[in-house]
Amino acid sequence: MIYTKSESEIRLMREAGKLLHSVLSELREMIVPGVTTLEIDERAEKLIRAAGAVPSFKGYEGFPFSICASVDSEVVHGFPSSTALKEGQIVSIDCGCIINGWQSDSAFTAPVGRVSKEAEQLMRVTEECFWKGAQAARAGNRLGDIGWAVQQHAEQYGYGVIRDYCGHGIGREMHEDPSVPNYGKPGRGMRLQAGMTIAIEPMIALGTWKVFIQDNDWTAITRDNSVCSHYEHTVLVTDGDAEILSYPGKFAGGSQNG
Ligand code: MG
Ligand code: MG
C-alpha cells in the first residue's frame, strides 16, 4: 500500500527532516580518531529527545541503539561500541527520528582523520549515486529509473551495489512500501507519483556486493571484507525536482553532491 502525503503531512515530515539534519551535522563533527561510536550514539539520543522527538531506531524490532554505526567493511546496522575509532577508518552513521508521529531517516559516511584515496573516492561516488537516484525520483518516472541511475554510476567505478538492503517508503512508519532498490532497469517497476515520500540510500562497496550477517543478527559485513559506504536521505517526489526533506532547502536537480 502506497501512501501519498498531503501538504500538511509533508510539512510535518519537513520538521522531522530538519531536526535529523541538524543532529547528523553535530554527529559528523564528533568523528575524529579516539571517539567511540557509543559516545556518538549517546549524543544522538540526547539531541533528539531534547528537541521533543523520539529516536526511531531505538527499540525498532529490538535494535538497542539510536544510531547504526558501521565501520569499514560493515555495510549497515553496525552496533555502536566502546572501541575508539582509528585514523584511516570510515564510519557510516545512520539515524532516524519521529516528531508528532512523522518520520525521517538519513545516513552519511565520514572519514576518521586521513583515509586512503580509494576510501575517499568510494564515499564521494556513493553520495553522487544518491543524487543521481534522487534526480530520477520524479512523478511519471518508475522505481527502476532510480535503481538504474544508482547502479550505473557505481558500477562504472567497478564498485559493488549492495542488493540485500534497499531504500523504502517512509511516513508514519519508518519502513513503508515501496522498496527502493539501488539497482534496476529503466522504465520498469512502479510509477512514481507526486506526494510519495521515500528514503533513497545507496550502499556501495569497494568489492563484492555480497554480504553476511554477524552473530548479533543485525550487522551486515561485505563477504570479501572490502569497505562500504552508505548515504541516505528522506525524499519527497514531486512533478519537478525531488525535495530532500532531510536536507532543508535542498532539491535533487541543483546538485550532484551534498
Ligand atoms: Mg537509515
Ligand atoms: Mg532507511
Side-chain angles (χ1 to χ4, degrees), residues 189-201:
M190 205 193 71
R191 198 177 286 283
L192 302 170
Q193 302 168 51
M196 283 175 65
T197 46
I198 54 175
I200 300 176
E201 50 177 314

Side-chain angles (χ1 to χ4, degrees), residues 16-32 40 43-45 47-48 67 91-97 104-111 127 231-233 244-250 258:
K18 189 175 167 192
L19 172 65
L20 187 57
H21 184 261
S22 80
V23 169
L24 288 183
S25 301
E26 284 213 31
L27 302 185
R28 188 188 278 271
E29 298 293 314
M30 294 179 72
I31 298 172
V32 291
I40 299 172
R43 183 81 184 133
E45 180 165 8
L47 289 168
I48 291 169
I67 62 167
V91 59
S92 305
I93 305 292
D94 191 354
C95 189
C97 71
S104 197
D105 184 7
S106 180
F108 67 88
T109 301
E127 291 192 19
Y231 190 76
E232 174 182 27
H233 279 296
I244 316 302
L245 296 174
S246 51
Y247 197 153
K250 202 88 169 165

